[in-house]
Amino acid sequence: MKKYFGVFILILIFLGGIVFYQYARFNDNKLHVVFCDVGQGDGIFIRTASGKNFLIDAGPDEKIIGCLERHMPFWERKITLAFLSHPHLDHFAGFNHVFKRYNLLSFAAEDLNNKSASFQGLLSQLNDKKLRIQYLYSGDSFKIKDGTRFSVLAPTKDFIDRTSPNGQIGENGEFASLIILVSYGSFRAVFTGDSQASELNQAISDNSIDGTKILEVPHHGSKTGLSIEILDRLRPNYAVISVGAHNRYGHPNKFTLDLLNEFGIKTLNTSKNGDIEIISDGKNFKVR
């Protein structure tokens, strides 16, 4: 009997150690931004200094779950807000798996529809869970108590009307995409989805954005996402490309890589680096 009691105590100590380690790791009063390795797609997890969880896109499949499990305490199942940058499969399909494992409190997106069966299925799931989509435009923003601010830089309603006059987006067309600035103290990161250079350039000009620490390279490093004007204005310390290895689109494009190299910007790539985590105390930041 004493033997079993001793084993039981050791198990409790072991489990307690795991809980203590995870609590200390994930509650360090710092902002954590994780570009998840989801293959050819986007999935970005953000955990604020006060432990609020946010998600920008969810990738093309269940890989997003592995990322969330690696970067959230195992006992947490709550995501405060999920953003969908635009209704393309490689950005929204992973939400089907997120819904099964996590409790989403709210959902936000741009006001564009995709007639595909897969996207209509996502809308049905949102309806079943009684999650009303909050449609966002340039100028919308909110700040949580720990000081983290989410600011929507694009699209404007005018941009959507001009590029998608019927309010639709196809799986192959690249039009408007949410562009979101996340700031915490002096730390700033810009998340671009599949935006094109014209939209991103307009967004940073309209919102007077000068300089950022982290820039998500638009559209997985495609040729049409960046320009000299954008990089000259933003001057990011790091550029991050969310992309799948040996993808059929040839992403990231050599033009984009050469442009980043010309500006001396350190460039990271999920297909080579795996999950890319940026941690900031609001003044300094490090990449892990």
Side-chain angles (χ1 to χ4, degrees), residues 31 46 148-151 180-184 187-189 191:
L31 174 71
I46 299 170
T148 305
R149 179 179 290 277
F150 293 78
S151 303
I180 300 170
L181 170 69
V182 175
S183 55
Y184 178 58
F187 175 84
R188 300 203 295 183
F191 305 95

Side-chain angles (χ1 to χ4, degrees), residues 30 41 51 53 91 120 169 174 254 258 274 278:
K30 295 178 181 179
N53 301 312
H91 292 253
Q120 296 306 309
I169 186 171
E174 307 304 334
K254 185 178 183 300
D258 288 345
I278 296 98

Side-chain angles (χ1 to χ4, degrees), residues 118-180:
S118 52
F119 186 67
Q120 296 306 309
L122 175 68
L123 295 181
S124 293
Q125 287 201 60
L126 288 170
N127 185 61
D128 291 343
K129 294 182 178 297
K130 294 179 171 55
L131 281 173
R132 182 178 62 84
I133 301 177
Q134 303 173 48
Y135 293 112
L136 302 176
Y137 293 98
S138 174
D140 291 335
S141 69
F142 66 92
K143 185 177 182 180
I144 62 176
K145 290 182 179 180
D146 62 28
T148 305
R149 179 179 290 277
F150 293 78
S151 303
V152 180
L153 306 183
T156 62
K157 189 175 187 306
D158 175 68
F159 189 88
I160 288 181
D161 290 342
R162 283 190 288 110
T163 57
S164 299
N166 58 356
Q168 300 290 327
I169 186 171
E171 273 302 312
N172 297 316
E174 307 304 334
F175 299 102
S177 184
L178 282 183
I179 299 175
I180 300 170

Side-chain angles (χ1 to χ4, degrees), residues 226-242:
L226 289 180
S227 67
I228 292 174
E229 293 77 15
I230 290 169
L231 293 182
D232 191 49
R233 185 80 177 263
L234 291 180
R235 297 280 176 172
N237 295 76
Y238 281 87
V240 180
I241 304 173
S242 183

Side-chain angles (χ1 to χ4, degrees), residues 33-46:
V33 174
V34 182
F35 291 85
C36 297
D37 180 13
V38 293
Q40 183 65 16
D42 270 14
I44 300 158
F45 172 65
I46 299 170

